[in-house]
Amino acid sequence: MDNIGYRINVHPFGAVSSPSCAIFGLKKLAKDNKRNFPQAAKFVQKNFYVDDDLVCVLTAEDAVSLMSETKVMMARRNLVLHKFLSNNEAVFNSLEYENPTNKVITPDLSTERALGLC
């Protein structure tokens, strides 16, 4: 009988090591791209926890710029940012989705939670 070998080509969702792998990958992406995408690299390095993030910026323009740069940087590694939420309608409306299955969260801040905070 032949021995058949199997190899996992992707990291299994929900594995005990999944959070560590996600954080490692994001930190490496930020480190590798800090010269070309300084704003996005700093954002990913300092504001992500596993696959969620929270950030406050001073202006709507800053928010749009940060999200645009971060999306471009992440796209270089086939990662897609989605499920955004903003308390500024202009920022919220500026978000574009390449994949229509990525639903935009309705900005109802009274019920949204992030990292266990309302």
Side-chain angles (χ1 to χ4, degrees), residues 33-87:
N33 288 282
K34 66 182 176 186
R35 182 175 301 196
N36 294 329
F37 302 98
Q39 175 178 270
K42 182 178 178 184
F43 167 58
V44 169
Q45 184 73 28
K46 304 237 182 240
N47 296 96
F48 268 77
Y49 177 75
V50 185
D51 61 351
D52 290 329
D53 67 87
L54 290 173
V55 68
C56 293
V57 293
L58 295 176
T59 67
E61 293 79 21
D62 290 344
V64 171
S65 174
L66 178 60
M67 290 302 97
S68 297
E69 185 176 302
T70 304
K71 285 173 68 173
V72 171
M73 181 182 79
M74 293 188 127
R76 296 178 115 199
R77 294 292 181 253
N78 296 320
L79 298 172
V80 178
L81 283 179
H82 60 97
K83 296 184 182 176
F84 292 93
L85 181 65
S86 176
N87 62 349

Side-chain angles (χ1 to χ4, degrees), residues 87-107:
N87 62 349
N88 182 295
E89 191 173 343
V91 172
F92 196 76
N93 291 333
S94 74
L95 301 171
E96 295 177 10
Y97 289 87
E98 292 80 22
N99 182 346
T101 62
N102 290 336
K103 304 267 193 254
V104 176
I105 297 173
T106 309

Side-chain angles (χ1 to χ4, degrees), residues 85-88 92 105-113 117-118:
L85 181 65
S86 176
N87 62 349
N88 182 295
F92 196 76
I105 297 173
T106 309
D108 178 6
L109 297 179
S110 65
T111 60
E112 292 302 326
R113 297 176 62 91
L117 303 172
C118 246

